[in-house]
Structure formats: structure tokens, C-alpha cells
């Protein structure tokens, strides 16, 4: 074979999902759909203003595909895990509803809450033209040091994670969305972020069967539409440090042959350092397709996207990658599109159905409110501080200076960092809203203090009649605990509430503010979550929440 036919290039294009920059169609994305026949697009936060704009944008992309004689409409994917990874969610009447993330939903203790949330979120997304969601996270957060999964996981118990993941998948599927549980075969038991390096998980097959594979096996039994593979190494399984997403021993031998999965396999983004450093995204795409992936994902750089597609052309021409394998894989993609991508006459309509949108938003609002309320978890309150029986006269609210977490959560377009990469001394909008909400609930006064590494508590703290101290992953950012200790040296015999606004581990390991303080977890620092926390503290008319922490204390 000296050159590829148009039909063969069209086949190859269906095996890629790519992203682009901007809230309008760009010449680059037009070329990829028209000339490279790319069959799937990922929508990211940078692409979305609101539901109306998103519907119009997706309709334009679908129209381009139709005019380029694509056989079926595009798959339109998105990273919408809810909680901290919510590309679709926006404030306002035209914004996608913000719902609790995985660990917060698990804290409720009722898997049906997860199904309800994912169904409601799915209905909103489907109306805008989205048909594929890279969720739920099925990783079991066995390692409390995990820098990238954490509260994105439903917890550290395989059975509980499985029950929630099944419920979430049913919710998405019922709303006409193809779900994509991730990150097969499990990214929970590691303290390395695959965005930055290659995690090596030293587990045997028996150990995987007992923990990591449990939710995936259940979802395969449910005939889940797609599964996303992750970039971690399992040398005790594969015999080397090849990322799971790039090795046939995982994608084909384990997932397809041994576990019997018949749906579509998509890789996590190949621009993560776990792949780029050793292979490059371009050769990584070829290796993933050789391994048995149906679709490879490249989210960011157009040069890498083009290079990966052209590297696949060369691999087919040289015989490195069998065209027959891609054609067989293509049948699975066509079946997926037939089930979820919709009909041309529907997907090219640019107008958002406002009557239905308003109906869906009216359904979502009470679900959002109730699930955030129910997810609040009081870890300890020996002195019965919560809720405050009488409102304190002067409340000091301490929230941590914002700092980067990981690439899955951080918004690449966020402005919390200076040009030289340093973190700006900023509260962040959710913490500002938290402090304002507390202030509105008081008859007296409140002071909002943004604290950072090396800061000294303000001298006027001596006037406080109560303290609310928020942490944000203080088990690793231990400067927050140092600051708390400096506060405790100033105040005495006044109520203090410690609120873990991300991972719960800092309030599980020990009483960091003494046994008389109250400790609670929100599992995320969204505006809605922190508003629910404020209500727990300052609204005595509400019953105390019954949420429980779905992970054990770190050893």
C-alpha cells in the first residue's frame, strides 16, 4: 500500500477525539473535521459560555461534519464529573447546574442520590448537544496521598464505589448520554499524578481483582457504553512500565478478552506527561491504537493532534498498525454513534429549546440544594457547637490562600497565578462567597482573613467570639495547620469550627484544633457546598446533616 484512500482516511479520523480553544468555531477545528475526518470533539471549560452558546457551537460543528459527508454525527464529549471537575457547570439561568462531586455524593450514603444527580446533569447536557461524558470516576482512593483523584473518587471501599458508579452510569444513560467510567484499570492507589509523571502501581492480578477491578467488572456487566483507560504502569501485570493505555496486555488481553468488554475503549488525554515524556502524543496515539483502544484523546495542541493522525497514516502504510483492526474497531464506534449521537436533522439545530431548558433547570434546583445539604459530614462535635445556638457577636472566618492542586482540577485559563507562575494572594470566589454568606447570617460582625504560608494572625483576633477555620488539602499543604496552631495560641475558650473543604484526611487523623472544636467536611470548595456548610453552622432551624466520610483516616 503506497497511499491511503479517502475511505481509509475517513476511517482513521473516527478514532480520534480532539479539543480546541475558543467559544467559536476555529479554522483549525474546521480542518480537522473536514480534512482529517475527526469523528469526536471534546468540549472543555474554555469552550463554554452558557447553554445557549454551547448549543450553537455544537450545531456548527455538526453542520461542518454533515457538509464534509461524515457518515454519522460527531461524538461530543465533556469532562463532567460534577464537583471540582465540572466543565459544563456555570452560574446563572443559562449555566449548567453545579452538583456535588463523587466523594460528596458517596457521603450521602444513598446511591440513588448519585443516579438522580447524574440524570439531571445529563438531561441538561444532552439538550445542548453533548452526547458523551467522561465519568464517573471509578478509581478507589486507597492512597490518601493521591494528588489527582482524591475527592473525585466515591471513596476507598470497593463496594461503595461500585454502587455509586453503577448509579451514576444509569443516570447518564437514562438521559441519553454515553458514560465513560475511568481510569481503567484503576488510578486510586498511587501518590503520583499521571499529568506530571508515570504512576507505578505494584499490584498483582489477585489484588486488582479484590479492589480496583470490582467497579469496572460491575459496569461491564451493565454493558456500559465506553470505558476510559488510564496512564499508569502495572509492572507486575504487564512485565514492564508501559502505561496501561498503551499496552495490549491491558486494553485487549485484560479488558476485552478476560473481562469480556465489548464496548468502546477511549484513552485519557495523551498529552499527559506519563505518555508525552516517553512516547510523545503522536507515537502514543499509534501505540494506544495498536494496544486495542478504539478512540485516542488529544485535548490541547493542534500540532500534536495533526501529528498523531499523520503518524497513524504512516503506521497503517508501514504495516505497524493493521487497518483491519481499525475497521473492526470502527464498527464499535458506529454502534456507539447510532445509539447516542442522534440524527443529523436534530444535531444541526442551533437554537436551545428554552422551554425544555427551563423545565430541566427547575428539576435540577431542588436536587442540587438537597444533595449539597445531605453531603455535609460532621466528623466530631464533642461540645455540641453545631449549629450555633445563639449567633456569635464577632466571627472570624479564615480561608486559605489559593494554590494549584492538579491539572485535572485547575482551570488552565484561571488567573490566580502571576505571570512568573507564583500564586496570587487571593481568596478565590467560592471562599469570598462563603465569608459573605456567613456575614449575612449574623446579627453582629464578621472578619474574613485570607491566610497564607508564614502569615501571622491579626491582633484583632482577640476580639473574636467564634472562629470558622477552612482548610484546603491541609494534609499535604501543612502550612495551613501551622497557621491554625498560631491562632490557637491567641484564642481560648471560644467555639472554633474547622471545615475541611477538599480532602477530609486532615480532620480524620487527629484533632488539629483540640478535642473541643467542631470538625466537618464539605469534600469540595464550590460556592454551593460552602453555602451548605454555612447553613450547618448558623441555621439552627435545620436538622444536622447525616453525611459520613467515605474514606478512612490515613495511617
Amino acid at each position: 500500500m503506497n497511499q491511503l484512500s479517502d475511505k481509509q482516511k475517513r476511517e482513521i479520523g473516527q478514532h480520534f477525539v480532539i479539543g480546541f480553544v475558543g467559544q467559536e468555531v476555529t479554522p483549525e477545528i474546521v480542518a480537522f473535521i473536514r480534512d482529517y475526518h475527526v469523528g469526536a470533539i471534546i468540549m472543555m471549560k474554555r469552550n463554554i459560555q452558557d447553554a445557549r452558546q454551547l448549543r450553537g457551537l455544537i450545531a456548527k460543528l455538526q453542520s461542518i461534519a454533515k457538509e464534509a459527508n461524515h457518515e454519522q454525527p460527531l461524538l461530543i464529549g465533556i469532562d463532567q464529573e460534577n464537583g471540582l471537575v465540572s466543565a459544563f457547570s456555570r452560574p446563572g439561568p443559562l449555566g449548567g447546574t453545579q452538583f456535588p462531586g463523587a466523594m460528596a455524593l458517596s457521603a450521602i450514603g444513598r446511591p440513588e442520590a448519585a443516579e438522580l444527580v447524574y440524570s439531571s446533569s445529563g438531561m441538561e447536557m444532552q439538550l445542548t448537544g453533548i452526547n458523551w461524558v467522561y465519568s464517573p470516576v471509578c478509581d478507589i482512593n486507597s492512597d490518601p496521598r493521591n494528588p489527582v483523584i482524591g475527592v473525585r473518587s466515591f471513596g476507598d471501599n470497593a463496594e461503595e464505589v461500585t454502587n455509586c458508579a453503577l448509579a451514576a452510569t444509569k443516570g447518564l444513560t437514562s438521559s441519553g448520554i454515553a458514560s465513560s467510567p475511568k481510569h481503567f484499570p484503576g488510578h486510586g492507589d498511587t501518590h503520583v499524578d499521571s499529568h506530571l509523571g508515570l504512576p507505578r502501581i505494584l499490584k498483582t492480578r489477585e489484588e486488582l481483582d479484590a479492589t480496583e477491578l470490582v467497579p469496572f467488572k460491575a459496569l461491564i456487566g451493565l454493558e456500559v457504553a465506553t470505558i476510559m483507560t488510564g496512564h499508569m504502569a502495572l509492572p507486575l501485570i504487564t512485565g514492564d512500565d508501559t502505561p496501561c493505555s498503551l499496552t495490549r496486555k491491558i486494553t485487549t488481553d485484560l479488558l476485552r478478552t478476560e473481562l469480556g468488554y465489548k464496548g468502546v475503549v477511549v484513552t485519557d488525554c495523551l498529552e499527559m506527561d506519563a505518555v508525552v515524556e516517553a512516547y510523545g502524543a503522536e507515537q502514543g496515539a499509534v501505540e494506544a491504537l495498536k494496544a486495542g483502544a478504539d478512540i485516542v484523546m488529544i485535548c490541547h495542541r493542534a500540532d500534536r493532534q495533526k501529528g498523531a493522525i499523520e503518524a497513524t497514516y504512516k503506521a497503517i502504510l508501514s504495516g505497524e498498525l493493521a487497518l483491519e483492526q481499525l475497521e473492526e474497531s470502527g464498527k464499535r464506534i458506529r454502534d456507539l454513534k447510532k445509539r447516542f449521537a442522534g440524527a443529523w436533522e436534530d444535531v444541526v439545530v442551533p437554537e436551545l429549546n428554552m422551554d425544555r431548558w427551563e423545565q430541566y433547570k427547575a428539576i435540577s434546583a431542588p436536587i442540587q440544594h438537597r444533595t449539597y445539604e445531605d453531603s455535609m459530614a460532621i466528623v466530631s462535635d464533642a461540645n455540641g457547637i453545631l449549629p450555633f445556638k445563639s449567633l456569635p457577636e464577632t466571627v472570624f472566618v479564615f480561608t486559605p490562600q489559593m494554590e494549584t492542586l492538579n491539572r485535572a482540577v485547575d482551570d488552565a485559563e484561571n488567573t490566580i497565578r502571576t505571570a512568573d507562575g507564583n500564586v496570587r494572594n487571593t481568596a478565590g470566589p467560592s471562599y469570598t462567597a462563603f465569608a459573605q454568606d456567613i456575614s449575612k447570617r449574623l446579627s453582629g460582625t464578621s472578619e474574613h482573613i485570607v491566610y497564607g504560608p508564614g502569615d501571622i494572625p491579626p491582633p484583632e483576633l482577640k476580639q473574636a467570639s467564634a472562629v470558622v477555620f477552612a482548610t484546603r488539602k491541609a494534609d499535604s499543604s501543612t502550612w495551613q495547620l501551622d497557621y491554625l496552631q498560631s491562632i490557637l495560641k491567641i484564642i481560648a475558650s471560644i467555639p472554633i469550627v474547622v471545615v475541611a473543604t477538599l480532602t477530609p484526611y486532615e480532620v480524620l487523623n487527629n484533632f488539629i484544633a483540640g478535642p473541643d472544636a467542631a470538625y466537618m467536611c464539605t469534600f469540595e470548595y464550590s460556592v454551593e457546598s460552602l453555602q451548605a456548610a454555612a447553613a450547618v453552622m448558623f441555621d439552627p432551624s435545620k436538622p444536622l446533616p447525616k453525611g459520613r466520610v467515605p474514606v478512612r483516616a490515613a495511617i
Side-chain angles (χ1 to χ4, degrees), residues 103-104 107-108 372-380 386 498-500 504 507-508 518-523 529 532-533 536 544-550:
M103 194 170 288
I108 296 172
Y372 270 114
E373 278 192 341
D374 290 351
S375 69
M376 298 294 105
I378 298 174
V379 176
S380 175
L386 302 173
V498 179
V499 186
V507 297
L508 296 181
Y519 299 87
M520 62 180 296
C521 301
T522 66
F523 307 104
S529 181
V536 171
L544 288 175
K546 298 180 180 179
R548 88 287 184 272
V549 179

Side-chain angles (χ1 to χ4, degrees), residues 1 5-6 18 65 78 167 189 256 262 304 357 467 530:
M1 187 188 304
S5 66
D6 179 72
I18 66 171
I78 195 168
D189 198 3
R256 291 224 184 272
K262 302 186 187 313
R304 287 173 169 169
W357 175 258
V467 167
L530 296 181

Side-chain angles (χ1 to χ4, degrees), residues 371-395:
T371 50
Y372 270 114
E373 278 192 341
D374 290 351
S375 69
M376 298 294 105
I378 298 174
V379 176
S380 175
D381 186 14
N383 282 356
I385 296 172
L386 302 173
F388 286 103
K389 309 307 182 286
S390 59
L391 294 178
E393 184 64 28
T394 304
V395 177

Side-chain angles (χ1 to χ4, degrees), residues 102-119:
M103 194 170 288
L105 287 173
S106 183
I108 296 172
R110 301 190 309 273
E112 57 267 27
E115 183 171 356
L116 195 58
V117 160
Y118 277 79
S119 174

Side-chain angles (χ1 to χ4, degrees), residues 21-72:
V21 176
Q23 296 178 354
E24 297 287 342
V25 168
T26 64
E28 290 81 9
I29 199 63
V30 171
F32 277 116
I33 296 171
R34 183 191 61 210
D35 303 332
Y36 287 92
H37 319 291
V38 166
I41 307 296
I42 179 173
M43 294 287 107
M44 307 190 77
K45 186 173 286 190
R46 65 194 181 206
N47 302 119
I48 303 171
Q49 177 182 336
D50 57 35
R52 181 180 286 145
Q53 168 268 336
L54 180 59
R55 175 75 200 194
L57 174 60
I58 291 174
K60 288 179 184 177
L61 296 172
Q62 295 286 18
S63 295
I64 293 162
K66 186 174 186 291
E67 291 166 5
N69 295 317
H70 281 229
E71 180 182 339
Q72 295 170 290

